[in-house]
Amino acid sequence: MALTQDELLAEFEGMTLIQLSEFVKAFEEKFDVTAAAAAVVAAPAAGGAAGGAAEVEEKDEFDVILTGAGDKKIQVIKVVRELTSLGLKEAKDLVDGAPKPVLEKVAKDAADKAKEALEGAGASVDVK
């Protein structure tokens, strides 16, 4: 009696990750194949430049990344403390460890304001 696709999925759902991993290895050995999930995932990403450009335009969350403190390190630390809820030591460690994200997943206007403030203090900043 052959199992249906739904029955197989129900069986897989009940397996632990280790059991599923062992099953995949056994399947690959038995049928002399390799799982090509990476190729399936990569194919849509290579869809074309137009599709990639549309995704960038629709982005609504940005990361503000401090790439360098510049000459006015103390001023940069003060701005980092204003932008975040970090204490003095944490803000100093962040500035010393550049490049590091200062803000993550913020709106475009908040990212632009943070970039202006940090650059005004002498830091170099990237918004991604």
Side-chain angles (χ1 to χ4, degrees):
M1 176 170 125
L3 296 175
T4 67
Q5 186 175 3
D6 291 335
E7 291 170 334
L8 281 172
L9 289 174
E11 286 295 320
F12 291 139
E13 190 174 52
M15 291 180 156
T16 66
L17 288 177
I18 293 172
Q19 291 170 327
L20 192 55
S21 175
E22 290 171 353
F23 170 77
V24 170
K25 287 178 187 174
F27 186 90
E28 289 174 340
E29 290 174 9
K30 171 81 174 174
F31 296 104
D32 194 28
V33 296
T34 57
V40 174
V41 172
E55 287 179 21
V56 172
E57 292 173 14
E58 294 174 13
K59 187 173 181 179
D60 60 351
E61 292 181 340
F62 297 86
D63 295 338
V64 179
I65 301 171
L66 178 70
T67 57
D71 296 334
K72 302 176 184 177
K73 186 174 168 181
I74 294 173
Q75 293 300 95
V76 174
I77 292 170
K78 287 180 181 179
V79 172
V80 168
R81 289 191 69 204
E82 290 172 9
L83 294 172
T84 65
S85 60
L86 296 175
L88 180 59
K89 181 181 181 332
E90 292 83 7
K92 181 184 179 302
D93 290 345
L94 188 145
V95 171
D96 287 341
K100 290 243 178 173
V102 176
L103 298 173
E104 294 178 318
K105 297 182 180 179
V106 295
K108 175 93 170 123
D109 59 336
D112 289 340
K113 287 179 185 176
K115 181 178 179 181
E116 283 180 32
L118 287 165
E119 287 178 342
S124 54
V125 181
D126 281 342
V127 176
K128 295 183 180 183

